[in-house]
Amino acid sequence: MIYGKNFADVYSKHLIHFSIQVAPRIFKLLSSKNTNKEILDLCCGTGQLAYYFLTKGYKVTGIDFSEDMLYHAKKLNKSFIETEKAEFYCDDARYFSLNKKYPNIVSTYDALNHLEDDLSLQQCFQQVFEHLEENGIFIFDLNTKLGLSKGGTFIREDEAIFSIIQSMSEPSRNKAFTRYYGFVKDDSSHVYYKYDEVVYNTIYKMEKVREYLYDTGFVSVEFAHLNNLLKRVEEPEKEERVFIIATK
Ligand SMILES: C[S@@+](CC[C@H](N)C(=O)[O-])C[C@H]1O[C@@H](n2cnc3c(N)ncnc32)[C@H](O)[C@@H]1O
């Protein structure tokens, strides 16, 4: 499921709140653990988290397999690309190979729930591990089963956008689906255009996620609270979304 152009346009303006909110928390955590200012942003989307780290003096590499999402990431971070502080690649989180190691790897806004199944998640962990320096940190968030079981419809209507977000889960297939559709105003022509995208999330068992990370070779795996990454979560299945901090 690769996000298409219209949805990428909508995402770049109306779905960026999460990465903007969590970027300072991740920055604080990583800078307390690691003085090496470089980060790989896996499934970087439209590049808001990359932008935050770039403004903090980091070098950032972003990977995403949607060219339409990367278009926005490159546009937002153009000046940093020109000064060789940022680079963006179209690649798959399961198979990427950059021939380089990073002190920090991050993936936000449940991007890894978008992988097809447990095997894909394990493949991704393997690639991440191979791209991490010794003692490097991998931090990412996941929606839990509890978070993905909440179905419902959310409607937003204002001058810029008329949007409907419908969510439903199919626990028997370990999947949850969200349909994003509506009309959004084009900034230059002021004409409204339609978008319609169905995004799926895979439901993982949190204990399996921990097990896969240890099996890959990580020496420490901790679940952390969304609003406070220093606060450990002992029972991740009781949360709707958690951060996972794994150390190589
Ligand atoms: C919900 S968005 C999150 C984007 C960004 N990390 C953020 O915080 O806003 C999920 C992103 O993951 C990307 N993605 C999903 N599966 C991928 C894969 N297998 N390889 C690379 N990117 C992937 C999508 O194209 C999309 O940009």
Side-chain angles (χ1 to χ4, degrees), residues 125 206-217 221:
F125 287 169
M206 292 300 121
E207 273 320 302
K208 282 281 171 199
V209 173
R210 187 198 298 273
E211 186 185 311
Y212 298 151
L213 286 163
Y214 278 128
D215 287 350
T216 307
V221 178

Side-chain angles (χ1 to χ4, degrees), residues 1 3 7 11 15 17 109-110 113-114 143-144 147-155 163-170 173-182 195-203 241:
M1 163 205 57
Y3 295 0
F7 186 59
Y11 196 106
L15 289 166
H17 54 284
Y109 211 9
D110 47 72
N113 284 109
H114 290 33
N143 278 318
T144 65
L148 290 170
S149 303
K150 283 198 329 184
T153 302
F154 175 74
I155 298 177
S163 99
I164 304 175
I165 302 176
Q166 281 177 323
S167 304
M168 55 160 281
S169 74
E170 242 185 282
R173 287 176 56 209
N174 287 332
K175 286 277 181 286
F177 299 88
T178 306
R179 182 176 175 203
Y180 295 85
Y181 61 113
Y195 66 95
D196 192 344
E197 191 86 36
V198 177
V199 172
Y200 71 75
N201 275 252
T202 298
I203 301 170
R241 183 194 294 274

Side-chain angles (χ1 to χ4, degrees), residues 113-124:
N113 284 109
H114 290 33
L115 299 176
E116 203 179 329
D117 51 22
D118 284 37
L119 177 62
S120 303
L121 185 69
Q122 288 170 278
Q123 287 171 327
C124 169

